[in-house]
């Protein structure tokens, strides 16, 4: 999302995370080859990721462990938080739908209003990119037209305008692109229909497309995108780089490991 002054005291900014399952390696892989995953290393990498969020001033709220759900660490896919509204997803992969119930409990405790993607609609949070009052929603293998229409209606109550974006060749819209704090889109133009975008800065490496905006001048990216990190540092951003190799093997990225509730 474009960096906006948080509506609450800085110490209240909350990041939702969930520790990785020891069964992480059993998760879904769609567009890349499956390679061995070290669950112990994944756990350590996740701790470092959480530490980077804390260091940037985010209060970390852990969702209950869900060790029987291998992909549950990818919390971004279960809920979209927008201006006090928690839009609960209905993941496109049926195996992932059981992840949502525990997220609903926590967002309710946080005092967020709850709405849901339901019926035949399917949506993964990884397909939703908020940039100011624009919400780009990927039409992907996981998110369908019904969900895009429903999201447009529900997020419209928050003054948001939904722009559908066709995604091809990768898992989610946010696999292909994210935004910098100033709202500039950054990513891989081969995976998205750029004709509906105001512009797209090409990231020097594929994982450079994944930027978590932690503050006005602060971003988090994967250690696998060193050239992107250098570019952003040269432009004055404070860049935290975290090694998430074990999650990348499961088609995850830095954005999908948290949900920020500003
Ligand atoms: N938002 C994301 O990028 N989520 C990554 C989900 C990876 C997981 N293995 C899946 O296929 O659902």
């Amino acid at each position: 999302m474009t960096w906006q002054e948080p509506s609450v005291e800085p110490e209240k900014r909350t990041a939702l995370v969930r520790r990785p399952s020891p069964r992480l390696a059993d998760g879904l892989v769609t567009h890349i080859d499956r390679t061995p995953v070290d669950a112990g290393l994944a756990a350590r990498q996740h701790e470092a990721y959480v530490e980077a969020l804390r260091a940037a001033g985010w209060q970390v709220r852990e969702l209950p462990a869900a060790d029987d759900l291998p992909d549950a660490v990818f919390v971004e896919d279960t809920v979209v938080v927008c201006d006090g509204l928690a839009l609960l997803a209905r993941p496109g992969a049926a195996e992932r739908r059981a992840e949502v119930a525990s997220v609903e409990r926590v967002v309710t405790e946080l005092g967020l209003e709850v709405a849901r993607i339901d019926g035949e609609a399917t949506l993964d949070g990884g397909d939703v990119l908020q940039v100011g009052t624009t919400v780009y929603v990927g039409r992907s293998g996981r998110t369908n037209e019904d969900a895009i229409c429903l999201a447009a209606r529900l997020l419209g109550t928050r003054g948001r305008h939904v722009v559908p974006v066709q995604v091809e060749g990768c898992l989610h819209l946010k696999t292909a692109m994210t935004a910098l704090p100033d709202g500039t889109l950054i990513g891989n133009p081969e995976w998205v229909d750029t004709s509906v975008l105001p512009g797209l800065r090409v990231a020097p490496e594929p994982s450079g497309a994944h930027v978590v905006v932690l503050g006005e001048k602060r971003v988090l990216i994967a250690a696998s995108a060193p050239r992107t990190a250098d570019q952003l540092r040269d432009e004055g951003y404070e860049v935290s780089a975290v090694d998430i190799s074990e999650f990348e093997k499961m088609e995850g990225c830095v954005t999908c490991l948290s949900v920020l509730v500003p």
Side-chain angles (χ1 to χ4, degrees):
M1 66 187 83
T2 308
W3 178 252
Q4 289 163 334
E5 277 303 308
S7 54
V8 293
E9 295 302 310
E11 67 270 18
K12 295 273 170 61
R13 298 183 308 166
T14 301
L16 306 181
V17 300
R18 172 146 42 206
R19 76 162 199 226
S21 161
R23 291 184 46 211
L24 176 64
D26 297 335
L28 300 168
V29 169
T30 310
H31 294 89
I32 59 175
D33 292 333
R34 194 176 281 279
T35 50
V37 169
D38 179 336
L41 177 56
R44 292 192 296 281
Q45 290 179 341
H46 193 260
E47 281 166 20
Y49 175 90
V50 167
E51 202 37 56
L53 298 178
R54 287 207 176 97
W58 291 80
Q59 202 170 71
V60 174
R61 173 84 185 249
E62 280 218 32
L63 293 159
D67 290 351
D68 290 341
L69 300 171
D71 280 317
V73 67
F74 302 117
V75 290
E76 172 182 61
D77 294 324
T78 58
V79 65
V80 174
V81 175
C82 175
D83 194 15
L85 177 71
L87 178 55
L88 296 171
R90 182 166 181 269
E95 301 90 315
R96 297 201 55 192
R97 293 190 189 141
E99 297 171 26
V100 178
S102 57
V103 175
E104 176 170 6
R105 285 192 288 278
V106 171
V107 294
T108 303
E109 280 169 30
L110 289 175
L112 299 171
E113 188 186 327
V114 171
R116 354 182 108 65
I117 299 294
D118 55 12
E120 295 302 304
T122 65
L123 176 137
D124 281 12
D127 276 315
V128 180
L129 173 64
Q130 301 186 52
V131 186
T133 57
T134 301
V135 183
Y136 297 100
V137 183
R139 194 185 288 113
S140 72
R142 298 281 175 90
T143 297
N144 64 19
E145 204 61 44
D146 284 0
I148 294 175
C149 294
L150 190 50
R153 190 151 54 74
L154 294 166
L155 298 174
T157 65
R158 296 306 202 264
R160 299 312 199 261
H161 167 64
V162 163
V163 176
V165 185
Q166 191 67 36
V167 176
E168 302 287 351
C170 67
L171 187 60
H172 289 132
L173 177 67
K174 287 170 82 174
T175 319
M177 70 174 201
T178 55
L180 297 171
D182 67 1
T184 305
L185 301 175
I186 181 167
N188 180 348
E190 286 170 19
W191 286 338
V192 280
D193 173 9
T194 53
S195 69
V196 298
L197 306 176
L200 180 67
R201 168 176 169 169
V202 179
E205 45 280 272
S207 55
H210 316 142
V211 175
V212 180
V213 174
L214 294 178
E216 198 181 349
K217 277 299 196 185
R218 192 156 186 162
V219 297
L220 175 70
I221 67 171
S224 55
R227 284 182 292 146
T228 308
D230 283 347
Q231 275 188 7
L232 297 177
R233 285 192 186 104
D234 286 348
E235 290 162 28
Y237 287 108
E238 195 176 336
V239 180
S240 306
V242 287
D243 187 354
I244 55 155
S245 62
E246 303 315 285
F247 303 103
E248 290 171 334
K249 291 174 185 172
M250 299 310 298
E251 232 169 336
C253 53
V254 276
T255 64
C256 53
L257 295 172
S258 59
V259 174
L260 301 182
V261 185

